[in-house]
C-alpha cells in the first residue's frame, strides 16, 4: 500500500488526506499544532464558485486572471474554477453548514475583484466551519493524526527523491523520522514575517517552504505578499472583506471616501497606504449596515473591535491599516501539485500553484485548498515510489544539531529580533519597495544571519519546550526573509502586490 | 500589575505592564522575563481554540480575557498537564471519534435558511476544551464523552442532510447522553455561547424517539445516572 505523509494539518492538508485515503493510500497527517487550530480557521469571507446564473465559470476565470495581472497560468486557473462547483457540492455532502438563501440556494456574497456575488459563506466563520467539517470527515475515514511535531527537514534518497521527513516531537524533545512513498507539504504561508503587522496566526512561518528549498525544490513569486486593506490599526486583527462587500466604506481623517472599496486587495491597500503616507488616518465605516446585519453576518468583527480597539462598529468608526495577510509565493508546483522534486507535493498557501499570480482574489484561497488538496492527495496516493529507509546518519546529525542548541547560552534575544525584522519588512518591503530600501533590508538580514551563533534557547527543558519551537520558527523566518527580499530586489517591475518605487 | 500562574504544583507571580489581553501578558513574560513559560496560542482572534486556560477558577480564552491585577491563571482541568498552561488534548479529541461526530450518510437535499440556522450555533464550536474542563462528570467518570462531542453529535443529528441520525444516537448511550448531570457549567464557560447542556437535553429526547431511555430510571442512585454501575442499558 502507498504511504502518504502529509505535513501540516490545516484545510489543504485535510483535503489532501481524505483524498489520498479515498484513493487507497495509508495516510498520516503530521502537524506542529492540532488540525483545527490551523490558519484555515481564520478565513472569514468565503469560498468562490460560480454556482448560479448570471455568474459563470468563464467570469470566475476572467476575474481571477485579471487580478493576477498576467502572472497566473490560465490552465491552472481554469482547472480550479471549473472544479469549484463540484468542490462546493462535495463540501455540502460532507456536512459543511453553508449559509442559505430564502430560495434554498447556497448564499453567496460579493468580494473585491469579483464581477458577481460568488463567495459561498457560513456567516463570517467560513474557514472555521469548512476546517471542522473536514476534520470530522477525516475522523470518519480513520486518518491518522500525529500532532505537535515540528518539521526539521525533508529526507531525500540518492536519486533526489523526497521520501520522508524528520520531526521534533514538541512533547518530549525527541527526533523522529517518518518515511513514506510520497510527501505532501501543506504547511501554510509566511505572512508572520511581518510579525505584528500581519493578520495571521503565530504559526505562519513558512516552515515547509524552507524545508523544501533546503533540499533543492524550486520556489517562485516569493516577493508577492498580499496586504489585506482592513486590519485593526493597533493589533492587525483582520476585519473581513465581507464588511466592504456588504457596503462598508473606507474614510480618511476628513471622513471622505478615497477609493472604490470593492477593487482587488492590492489596489485598495495601495490607496490606503498612499493616504497614510500623506498623514491621513483611515477608518472602516460599517455603522449604516445596522445591528441586525452585523450580528448575523459579521459576528466576530464587533467582538474583536471592542476587545482590541475599544471601538463599537455599530456606533463608531474602526481605525484600520493594511497588514500582511496572504503570501502568493511558495513551492513551485505543476497541475498535479508536484514540486520540482520527485515524491514531493505541495498544496495550499505553501505552494505556488500559479492561480493567484500577483494578487489573490478573496475567496480563492479556500477554493484552492479544497480543489488542489484533493488533486494533491490523489496524485500522491498514486505515486509508485518505494518507501526508502532513512539512514541513521541523518537522524544522528539532526540530534547533534539539537544537542548544540541545548548546550549553548544565547546572548541575543530571538523575540526582539523577530519584532525588529517584522517592523523593517513592513517599512522597507511592504506595500511599496525601493531598490535602496531593499538593499538596506538585505544587509540587515545578512547581519542577523552572520550573528546566528549568538541566538539560541534560554529554556533547556526537553518536555514541551515552546522556546525551541519559537527558535525553529525564528530560523525559518530568517531564511524566508532572505528569499523574499532577494526576489523583491531582483524584480524591478511593479505588478500587483509587488510595487517598486523610486525613493 | 501582578498575575499568578500555576506552574506544576507551584504558583508563580509575575509583574506585567498594563496590557490588553492575558495572551499579550503571557507573551510579554515569555519574551522579557522567563522564556521557559509554556502556553499554547495561535490566532489571537478567538477562533483557533488554542489558548483556553482557567482564570480565577473559570475557563476563558487567553486572547479574549482582559487581564486584571491579581488574576490567578491555571491550566484546563480534566486533561493531563504537559507543562505550565499546556494540556494534552488528545484524549478529549478522541471523544469526537467515539461519538461518531461526522455526517454518516448524506441525504441529498436543498437546505433552507431555517435548516441552516438549526445548527449554526453548534457549528461555531472551536474545540477549545473549555467545556471539557468545566464539566464535573469527569471526576466520577473518566470515560464520559463530554460536552463538545455531544454538541457536535447534535449538530449532525439535527442536520436534515444526515440520513442516519441513529448512528450517532447509538454511539452516545454509554458514557454519553445520560451521564450528564445537566449542571450547565459547560454553557457558562463556552466562549462561543453554545449550550452543550441544551444540546444534550435534545439528544435525550431524540434518544427516546429511537427507543432508548434513561438507564437511571428505576434505580435509586440519586440522579447520577450510570456513573456507578456498568453503564448497560435498562429498558
Amino acid at each position: 500500500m502507498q504511504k502518504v505523509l502529509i505535513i501540516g494539518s490545516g484545510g489543504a492538508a485535510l483535503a489532501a488526506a481524505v483524498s489520498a485515503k479515498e484513493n487507497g493510500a495509508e495516510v498520516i497527517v503530521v502537524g506542529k499544532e492540532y488540525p483545527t487550530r490551523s490558519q484555515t480557521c481564520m478565513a472569514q469571507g468565503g469560498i468562490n464558485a460560480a454556482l448560479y446564473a448570471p455568474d459563470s465559470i468563464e467570469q470566475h476565470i476572467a476575474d481571477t486572471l485579471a487580478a493576477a495581472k498576467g502572472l497566473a497560468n490560465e490552465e491552472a486557473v481554469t482547472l480550479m474554477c471549473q472544479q469549484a462547483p463540484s468542490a462546493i457540492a462535495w463540501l455540502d455532502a460532507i456536512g459543511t453548514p453553508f449559509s442559505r438563501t430564502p430560495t434554498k440556494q447556497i448564499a453567496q456574497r460579493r468580494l473585491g475583484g469579483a464581477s458577481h456575488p460568488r463567495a459561498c459563506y457560513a456567516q463570517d466563520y467560513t474557514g472555521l466551519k469548512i476546517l471542522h467539517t473536514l476534520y470530522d470527515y477525516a475522523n470518519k475515514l480513520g486518518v491518522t493524526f500525529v500532532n505537535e511535531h515540528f518539521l526539521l527537514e525533508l529526507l531525500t534518497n540518492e536519486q533526489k527523491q523526497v521520501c520522508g521527513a524528520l520531526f521534533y516531537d514538541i512533547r518530549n524533545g525527541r527526533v523522529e523520522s517518518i518515511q513514506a512513498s510520497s510527501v505532501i507539504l501543506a504547511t501554510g504561508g509566511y505572512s508572520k514575517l511581518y510579525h505584528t503587522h500581519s493578520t495571521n496566526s503565530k504559526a505562519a512561518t513558512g516552515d515547509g517552504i524552507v524545508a523544501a528549498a533546503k533540499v533543492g525544490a524550486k520556489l517562485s513569486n516569493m516577493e508577492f505578499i498580499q496586504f489585506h486593506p482592513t486590519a485593526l490599526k493597533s493589533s492587525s486583527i483582520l476585519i473581513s472583506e465581507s464588511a466592504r462587500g456588504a457596503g462598508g466604506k473606507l474614510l480618511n481623517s476628513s471622513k471622505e471616501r478615497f477609493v472604490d472599496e470593492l477593487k482587488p486587495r492590492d489596489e485598495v491597500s495601495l490607496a490606503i497606504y498612499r493616504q497614510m503616507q500623506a498623514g491621513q488616518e483611515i477608518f472602516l465605516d460599517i455603522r449604516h449596515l445596522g445591528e441586525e446585519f452585523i450580528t448575523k453576518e459579521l459576528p466576530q468583527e464587533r467582538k474583536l473591535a471592542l476587545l482590541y480597539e475599544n471601538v463599537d462598529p455599530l456606533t463608531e468608526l474602526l481605525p484600520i491599516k493594511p497588514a500582511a495577510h496572504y503570501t502568493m509565493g511558495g513551492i513551485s508546483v505543476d497541475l498535479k501539485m508536484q514540486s520540482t522534486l520527485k515524491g514531493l507535493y505541495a498544496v495550499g498557501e505553501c505552494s505556488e500553484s500559479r492561480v493567484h499570480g500577483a494578487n489573490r482574489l478573496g475567496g480563492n484561497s479556500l477554493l484552492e485548498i479544497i480543489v488542489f488538496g484533493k488533486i494533491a492527495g490523489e496524485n500522491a496516493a498514486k505515486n509508485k515510489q518505494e518507501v526508502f529507509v532513512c539512514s541513521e546518519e541523518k537522524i544522528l546529525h539532526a540530534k547533534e544539531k539539537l544537542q548544540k542548541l541545548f548546550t549553548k547560552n544565547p546572548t541575543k534575544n530571538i523575540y526582539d529580533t523577530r519584532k525588529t525584522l517584522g517592523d523593517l519588512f513592513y517599512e522597507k518591503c511592504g506595500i511599496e519597495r525601493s531598490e535602496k530600501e531593499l538593499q538596506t533590508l538585505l544587509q540587515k538580514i545578512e547581519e542577523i544571519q552572520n550573528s546566528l551563533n549568538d541566538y539560541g534557547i534560554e529554556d533547556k527543558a526537553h518536555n514541551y519546550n515552546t522556546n525551541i519551537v519559537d527558535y525553529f520558527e525564528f530560523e525559518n523566518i530568517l531564511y524566508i526573509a532572505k528569499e523574499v527580499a532577494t526576489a523583491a530586489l531582483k524584480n524591478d517591475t511593479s505588478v500587483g502586490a509587488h510595487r517598486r518605487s523610486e525613493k | 500589575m501582578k498575575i499568578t500562574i500555576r506552574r506544576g504544583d507551584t504558583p508563580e507571580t509575575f509583574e506585567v505592564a498594563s496590557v490588553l489581553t492575558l495572551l499579550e501578558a503571557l507573551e510579554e513574560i515569555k519574551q522579557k522575563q522567563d522564556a521557559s513559560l509554556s502556553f499554547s496560542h495561535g490566532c489571537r482572534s478567538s477562533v483557533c481554540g488554542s489558548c483556553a486556560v482557567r482564570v480565577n477558577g473559570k475557563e476563558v480564552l487567553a486572547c479574549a480575557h482582559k487581564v486584571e491585577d491579581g488574576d490567578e491563571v491555571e491550566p484546563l482541568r480534566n486533561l493531563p498537564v504537559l507543562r505550565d498552561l499546556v494540556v494534552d488534548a488528545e484524549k478529549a479529541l478522541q471523544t469526537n471519534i467515539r461519538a461518531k461526530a461526522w455526517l454518516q450518510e448524506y441525504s441529498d437535499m436543498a437546505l433552507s435558511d431555517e435548516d441552516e440556522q438549526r445548527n449554526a450555533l453548534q457549528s461555531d464550536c472551536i474545540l477549545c476544551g473549555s467545556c471539557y474542563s468545566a464539566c464535573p462528570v469527569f471526576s466520577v467518570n473518566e470515560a464520559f464523552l463530554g460536552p463538545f462531542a455531544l454538541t457536535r453529535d447534535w449538530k449532525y443529528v439535527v442536520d436534515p442532510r444526515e440520513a442516519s441520525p441513529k448512528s450517532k444516537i447509538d454511539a452516545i448511550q454509554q458514557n454519553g447522553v445520560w451521564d450528564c448531570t445537566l449542571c450547565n457549567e459547560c454553557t457558562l464557560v463556552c466562549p462561543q455561547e453554545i449550550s452543550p447542556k441544551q444540546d444534550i437535553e435534545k439528544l435525550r429526547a431524540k434518544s427516546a424517539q429511537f427507543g432508548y431511555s434513561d438507564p437511571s430510571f428505576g434505580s435509586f442512585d440519586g440522579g447520577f445516572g450510570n456513573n456507578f454501575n456498568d453503564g448497560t442499558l435498562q429498558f
Side-chain angles (χ1 to χ4, degrees):
Chain A
M1 189 191 267
Q2 298 305 109
K3 190 174 170 184
V4 177
L5 165 63
I6 298 172
I7 306 173
S9 57
L14 295 179
V18 299
S19 154
K21 189 90 182 173
E22 284 172 336
N23 279 282
E26 183 190 338
V27 179
I28 180 166
V29 177
V30 185
K32 67 175 173 179
E33 305 176 299
Y34 292 90
T36 56
R37 297 183 181 181
S38 67
Q39 183 69 44
T40 307
C41 72
M42 296 181 74
Q44 303 178 353
I47 172 167
N48 286 340
L51 296 181
Y52 313 110
D55 197 8
S56 67
I57 287 166
E58 289 67 35
Q59 274 296 325
H60 187 183
I61 295 168
D63 290 347
T64 303
L65 287 172
K69 305 264 168 37
L71 289 190
N73 172 283
E74 195 167 341
E75 214 184 331
V77 171
T78 303
L79 177 67
M80 179 178 79
C81 298
Q82 274 179 343
Q83 295 202 9
S86 58
I88 300 298
W90 179 74
L91 285 172
D92 178 61
I94 63 169
T96 308
F98 287 115
S99 297
R100 309 283 163 158
T101 68
T103 54
K104 296 194 174 183
Q105 290 184 330
I106 286 175
Q108 291 178 294
R109 58 186 165 205
R110 190 173 165 213
L111 299 180
S115 52
H116 294 277
R118 184 180 293 139
C120 311
Y121 62 93
Q123 299 88 39
D124 59 355
Y125 284 124
T126 316
L128 174 82
K129 294 190 182 191
I130 289 176
L131 178 66
H132 281 245
T133 308
L134 282 170
Y135 175 62
D136 292 346
Y137 186 57
N139 275 338
K140 182 188 177 190
L141 296 187
V143 168
T144 305
F145 289 102
V146 175
N147 303 321
E148 306 202 302
H149 278 54
F150 196 97
L151 171 64
L152 293 176
E153 57 185 292
L154 290 168
L155 299 170
T156 52
N157 64 13
E158 281 159 7
Q159 289 82 46
K160 272 284 179 195
Q161 290 170 319
V162 174
C163 39
L166 288 185
F167 297 93
Y168 174 84
D169 182 340
I170 298 168
R171 291 175 192 164
N172 59 28
R174 291 196 195 110
V175 175
E176 281 176 21
S177 78
I178 299 177
Q179 277 93 58
S181 30
S182 42
V183 176
I184 303 176
L185 286 169
T187 46
Y190 48 90
S191 282
K192 257 325 200 205
L193 170 59
Y194 293 82
H195 202 58
T196 56
H197 310 284
S198 167
T199 61
N200 279 202
S201 141
K202 169 197 187 289
T205 49
D207 310 329
I209 297 173
V210 175
K214 282 183 175 171
V215 293
K218 187 188 164 206
L219 307 183
S220 49
N221 288 5
M222 291 295 284
E223 70 273 38
F224 289 92
I225 287 125
Q226 177 167 83
F227 284 80
H228 197 289
T230 56
L232 291 180
K233 192 179 176 188
S234 61
S235 58
S236 296
I237 296 276
L238 175 71
I239 297 297
S240 168
E241 187 158 312
S242 49
R244 277 173 293 130
K249 294 185 177 73
L250 289 169
L251 305 176
N252 61 20
S253 305
S254 334
K255 310 290 176 288
E256 279 168 4
R257 287 179 70 199
F258 54 88
V259 66
D260 170 5
E261 288 85 354
L262 284 177
K263 281 188 166 175
R265 289 175 183 169
D266 57 338
E267 295 177 46
V268 180
S269 286
L270 182 65
I272 295 173
Y273 176 76
R274 294 252 158 93
Q275 290 276 323
M276 287 168 71
Q277 291 295 97
Q280 298 280 334
E281 274 190 90
I282 308 301
F283 303 92
L284 177 66
D285 184 5
I286 59 170
R287 292 172 299 178
H288 57 290
L289 300 182
E291 183 167 4
E292 195 191 332
F293 180 86
I294 292 171
T295 310
K296 190 178 175 203
E297 303 286 331
L298 306 168
Q300 293 185 72
E301 325 299 58
R302 189 175 174 202
K303 199 163 73 178
L304 293 170
L306 281 165
L307 181 69
Y308 281 97
E309 305 282 330
N310 207 17
V311 164
D312 187 349
L314 282 185
T315 53
E316 294 167 280
L317 298 176
L318 280 174
I320 56 103
K321 69 170 184 190
H325 180 62
Y326 185 91
T327 47
M328 272 78 78
I331 303 158
S332 194
V333 293
D334 62 17
L335 294 176
K336 290 182 168 172
M337 303 308 127
Q338 189 172 338
S339 71
T340 51
L341 299 181
K342 243 191 137 228
L344 182 66
Y345 299 78
V347 67
E349 199 176 344
C350 73
S351 72
E352 201 281 286
S353 60
R354 301 172 300 160
V355 288
H356 307 308
N359 176 58
R360 176 182 69 84
L361 280 185
N364 270 354
S365 55
L366 284 177
L367 177 60
E368 178 190 16
I369 64 172
I370 301 302
V371 172
F372 289 172
K374 294 185 84 174
I375 291 175
E378 192 185 327
N379 286 304
K382 287 176 183 162
N383 184 40
K384 301 272 180 234
Q385 187 172 293
E386 274 175 45
V387 177
F388 155 84
V389 181
C390 174
S391 72
E392 283 297 316
E393 202 183 331
K394 281 217 161 172
I395 301 178
L396 275 177
H397 184 252
K399 281 184 178 165
E400 274 170 26
K401 226 174 112 185
L402 270 181
Q403 201 50 45
K404 275 188 197 154
L405 207 50
F406 276 97
T407 46
K408 83 173 174 187
N409 288 316
T411 53
K412 286 186 171 139
N413 184 312
I414 53 170
Y415 301 107
D416 292 343
T417 305
R418 274 292 298 273
K419 179 162 184 344
T420 309
L421 194 63
D423 291 345
L424 268 174
F425 258 85
Y426 192 64
E427 187 193 319
K428 300 192 183 301
C429 193
I431 293 170
E432 274 193 306
R433 303 100 188 245
S434 73
E435 183 177 348
K436 203 173 132 216
E437 287 195 318
L438 288 169
Q439 275 165 347
T440 315
L441 181 61
L442 262 173
Q443 216 175 346
K444 182 71 195 169
I445 295 166
E446 273 156 25
E447 270 171 37
I448 301 169
Q449 279 180 332
N450 291 336
S451 64
L452 199 56
N453 248 332
D454 301 338
Y455 293 92
I457 51 171
E458 286 165 48
D459 182 8
K460 305 287 200 260
H462 287 275
N463 71 309
Y464 220 94
N465 185 331
T466 49
N467 189 212
I468 200 170
V469 172
D470 293 339
Y471 177 81
F472 293 148
E473 291 178 342
F474 168 73
E475 272 199 350
N476 285 344
I477 274 298
L478 211 51
Y479 189 100
I480 292 280
K482 179 113 187 245
E483 291 287 327
V484 172
T486 307
L489 184 63
K490 208 170 147 193
N491 186 354
D492 56 11
T493 320
S494 284
V495 53
H498 175 65
R499 188 155 295 272
R500 288 284 293 261
S501 76
E502 296 307 317
K503 269 184 289 179
Chain B
M1 62 177 80
K2 281 189 168 63
I3 63 169
T4 305
I5 299 169
R6 176 160 287 276
R7 307 186 70 182
D9 293 329
T10 41
E12 208 172 310
T13 303
F14 293 92
E15 181 75 37
V16 289
S18 177
V19 281
L20 214 57
T21 66
L22 173 59
L23 178 55
E24 286 168 318
L26 295 173
E27 285 188 295
E28 187 187 285
I29 295 167
K30 187 169 185 71
Q31 294 172 12
K32 307 277 182 208
Q33 299 177 43
D34 185 347
S36 73
L37 181 69
S38 303
F39 53 95
S40 296
H41 61 123
C43 73
R44 83 210 186 286
S45 313
S46 309
V47 72
C48 77
S50 307
C51 68
V53 292
R54 281 164 55 88
V55 176
N56 307 327
K58 191 189 171 216
E59 285 73 10
V60 296
L61 296 178
C63 72
H65 174 77
K66 288 197 182 181
V67 75
E68 280 175 38
D69 193 35
D71 272 352
E72 290 179 14
V73 188
E74 57 183 340
L76 294 182
R77 294 186 303 186
N78 297 329
L79 289 165
V81 175
L82 290 171
R83 195 177 175 196
D84 298 341
L85 300 174
V86 182
V87 292
D88 184 343
E90 299 290 353
K91 183 180 154 234
L93 291 175
Q94 286 300 312
T95 61
N96 286 326
I97 298 171
R98 284 166 47 214
K100 295 193 167 68
W102 50 66
L103 191 83
Q104 184 64 36
E105 199 183 318
Y106 177 59
S107 148
D108 188 2
M109 63 178 300
L111 300 188
S112 66
D113 188 30
E114 292 76 47
D115 289 332
E116 192 262 327
Q117 292 300 324
R118 283 200 236 176
N119 64 4
L121 181 64
Q122 285 80 2
S123 60
D124 287 348
C125 173
I126 58 173
L127 288 178
C128 66
S130 289
C131 58
Y132 195 95
S133 168
C135 177
V137 175
F138 290 107
S139 61
V140 287
N141 180 9
E142 277 189 35
F144 182 45
L145 282 170
F148 69 70
L150 291 168
T151 274
R152 225 169 171 81
D153 255 7
W154 177 250
K155 175 181 90 172
Y156 286 108
V157 166
V158 77
D159 193 320
R161 292 171 297 181
E162 174 58 89
S164 176
K166 188 171 182 296
S167 61
K168 262 156 282 295
I169 297 296
D170 290 347
I172 56 168
Q173 296 305 311
Q174 203 166 355
N175 296 314
V177 75
W178 306 108
D179 291 56
C180 170
T181 62
L182 305 180
C183 72
N184 209 33
E185 289 295 328
C186 50
T187 310
L188 300 178
V189 299
C190 178
Q192 296 291 76
E193 296 172 4
I194 300 166
S195 173
K197 178 222 170 201
Q198 279 181 19
D199 297 335
I200 290 166
E201 287 178 309
K202 289 179 238 170
L203 281 168
R204 285 184 176 183
K206 201 74 177 172
S207 296
Q209 286 176 22
F210 283 108
Y212 290 105
S213 59
D214 187 343
S216 66
F217 275 5
S219 67
F220 299 93
D221 65 356
F224 279 91
N226 59 5
N227 297 333
F228 304 110
N229 62 31
D230 63 359
T232 48
L233 290 166
Q234 301 162 21
F235 286 98

